[in-house]
Amino acid sequence: MRILHHLPLSPQSRLARLMLGEKRLPCELAVEKIWEPSEEFRRLNPAGEVPVLVEDSGMVVPGARVICEYLEDVYPEPPLLGRNVAERVEVRRLLDWFDGLFQQEVTVNLLGEKVMKRHFGLGHPTGSVLRTGYKNLRYHLDYIGYLAETRTWLAGPSLSAADFAAAAHLSALDFLGDVAWATAPAVRDWYSRVKSRPCFRTLLNDKVSGLQPPPHYSDLDF
Amino acid sequence: MRILHHLPLSPQSRLARLMLGEKRLPCELAVEKIWEPSEEFRRLNPAGEVPVLVEDSGMVVPGARVICEYLEDVYPEPPLLGRNVAERVEVRRLLDWFDGLFQQEVTVNLLGEKVMKRHFGLGHPTGSVLRTGYKNLRYHLDYIGYLAETRTWLAGPSLSAADFAAAAHLSALDFLGDVAWATAPAVRDWYSRVKSRPCFRTLLNDKVSGLQPPPHYSDLDF
């Protein structure tokens, strides 16, 4: 069976899970504590990061972006990286946006401080860093809201990896109760559509020891 | 004429220039001072980053990774993202490596401190950050050396975007005199092969006001 080495709250892992689910590719999940990486995991991915996909054939595909491209290459249906050149550019621009800007400006400051810092033994969250994260999140919610208001899906007329990348980050933050949905109704409407996809179900059932998501986390009608 | 909005020392811009050059796609360069972005540039790329490619058709392609995928999609010859599935995974893994780890651990600490910090009005380089950058660079040179010793090109048997991504970062650092080539002979041999490609020539002629590269920077036989 195909295996995805992952962490439940890692947005990059969540993106890979959503891509696999939407393409109906069954997959076993293996939690990988990247803060105490095994020799074996280092061999799978010298970068020491999740997710890493291992196919039945033994093919190893490390990294969310690489997994997205690989899945589209080998299992093209349904297409999730755009249906023509212009759409592919826009989907990949948004993958860059969430993997780069959103990750650095929001996710590292909130999820990184509250969860990963503890795992890596780096102490408690720093208030000023959290405040920066919340401030940046407001700006990013505005941008996502603008996209959601002007397009059917974030990258254009079709559901794509861009929606999954955004929803992967927001769902991980939502698990921490960090998303002020009431302030961003257009984002909430779009997110509830993504959340209703069958591929999203496993994310909503995630359990993380020591953390309790807010009740609305798994509610499709939040 | 096709236009690439860029910065001469930006490794991401250099990667895009090398891809365009190797695919023999002529292109005009426009320097973009991202620390004082124009409204027009923000419209081209809301992320405010270089490179951004603008095609004659008006198609806008922002970001080095997006440009690599776009060029391979539209101008497939010569292939630079791998010739089969396994090669494509490896090329993209290394693009991730240089765009992610190398950028964060080395480039931000050296080029970021010495050049970009000044442009953004954030003051002088911090000694401890530079030391971290040099220390990390040694580790990364070891890894590039390991790849160069065990393969013809970094990602496998064929020259690829992975070679250009690595050479883009190293060439920008070399402009600052930051690469201790004598300590990494396998990297130097591989780099001198990349440096001899015709597409590399424009990088070696780059002029940056207030900065003088070391004499070996443009020497093919360094």
Side-chain angles (χ1 to χ4, degrees), chain B residues 9-199:
Chain B
L9 289 186
S10 142
Q12 291 73 24
S13 301
R14 289 180 163 227
L15 168 56
R17 289 162 71 191
L18 292 171
M19 291 288 290
L20 286 160
E22 190 70 19
K23 287 180 182 281
R24 298 174 187 283
L25 299 168
C27 156
E28 207 169 277
L29 296 174
V31 170
E32 195 59 51
K33 296 182 178 172
I34 56 170
W35 49 93
E36 42 188 49
S38 61
E39 265 302 306
E40 195 195 336
F41 186 65
R42 276 275 172 194
R43 266 196 301 278
L44 289 180
N45 186 9
E49 289 163 359
V50 283
V52 177
L53 179 68
V54 182
E55 290 276 35
D56 280 336
S57 62
M59 164 85 84
V60 178
V61 189
R65 292 286 293 279
V66 187
I67 292 172
C68 287
E69 297 286 348
Y70 165 80
L71 293 177
E72 194 80 352
D73 202 359
V74 178
Y75 311 100
E77 291 300 326
L80 294 173
L81 290 182
R83 288 159 195 262
N84 56 50
V85 171
E87 280 183 28
R88 283 194 286 280
V89 166
E90 183 61 1
V91 171
R92 290 184 175 122
R93 179 184 78 81
L94 290 173
L95 285 178
D96 250 11
W97 182 279
F98 291 105
D99 195 37
L101 283 187
F102 193 99
Q103 168 74 19
Q104 286 307 315
E105 296 180 351
V106 182
T107 306
V108 165
N109 291 330
L110 298 177
L111 190 74
E113 282 297 304
K114 291 184 176 184
V115 178
M116 297 312 284
K117 207 171 170 181
R118 180 164 45 84
H119 285 317
F120 279 93
L122 298 170
H124 295 288
T126 306
S128 60
V129 176
L130 294 176
R131 280 191 295 278
T132 301
Y134 288 122
K135 197 178 126 214
N136 293 341
L137 177 54
R138 283 197 292 276
Y139 157 77
H140 277 279
L141 286 175
D142 282 351
Y143 186 60
I144 300 170
Y146 157 77
L147 296 174
E149 274 175 343
T150 51
R151 301 163 169 189
T152 310
W153 297 97
L154 293 192
S158 317
L159 174 74
S160 77
D163 297 285
F164 291 150
H169 281 274
L170 288 177
S171 66
L173 297 175
D174 194 35
F175 196 99
L176 305 176
D178 276 350
V179 185
W181 296 109
T183 67
V187 182
R188 187 182 54 200
D189 289 353
W190 156 82
Y191 183 65
S192 87
R193 283 189 290 135
V194 183
K195 204 171 170 177
S196 313
R197 309 292 298 184
C199 67

Side-chain angles (χ1 to χ4, degrees), chain A residues 38-195:
Chain A
S38 61
E39 265 303 304
E40 196 194 334
F41 185 65
R42 275 274 172 196
R43 266 195 302 277
L44 290 180
N45 187 8
E49 289 163 358
V50 284
V52 177
L53 178 68
V54 182
E55 289 276 36
D56 280 336
S57 63
M59 165 85 83
V60 178
V61 189
R65 292 286 293 278
V66 186
I67 292 171
C68 287
E69 297 286 348
Y70 165 79
L71 293 177
E72 194 80 354
D73 202 359
V74 177
Y75 311 100
E77 291 300 324
L80 294 172
L81 291 181
R83 289 160 193 263
N84 56 49
V85 170
E87 280 183 29
R88 282 194 286 280
V89 166
E90 183 61 0
V91 171
R92 291 186 175 121
R93 179 183 80 80
L94 290 173
L95 285 178
D96 250 12
W97 182 279
F98 291 106
D99 195 39
L101 282 187
F102 193 99
Q103 168 74 19
Q104 286 305 317
E105 296 179 351
V106 182
T107 305
V108 165
N109 291 331
L110 298 177
L111 191 73
E113 281 298 302
K114 290 183 175 186
V115 178
M116 297 312 285
K117 205 171 171 182
R118 181 164 45 85
H119 286 316
F120 279 93
L122 297 171
H124 296 288
T126 305
S128 60
V129 176
L130 295 176
R131 280 192 295 279
T132 302
Y134 289 122
K135 197 179 128 214
N136 293 341
L137 176 55
R138 284 196 291 277
Y139 157 75
H140 276 279
L141 285 176
D142 283 350
Y143 186 61
I144 300 170
Y146 157 76
L147 295 174
E149 273 175 344
T150 51
R151 301 163 171 190
T152 311
W153 297 96
L154 294 193
S158 317
L159 174 74
S160 77
D163 297 284
F164 290 151
H169 280 274
L170 288 176
S171 67
L173 298 174
D174 194 34
F175 196 99
L176 305 176
D178 276 350
V179 185
W181 296 109
T183 65
V187 182
R188 189 182 53 201
D189 290 351
W190 156 83
Y191 183 66
S192 88
R193 284 189 290 134
V194 184
K195 205 172 169 178

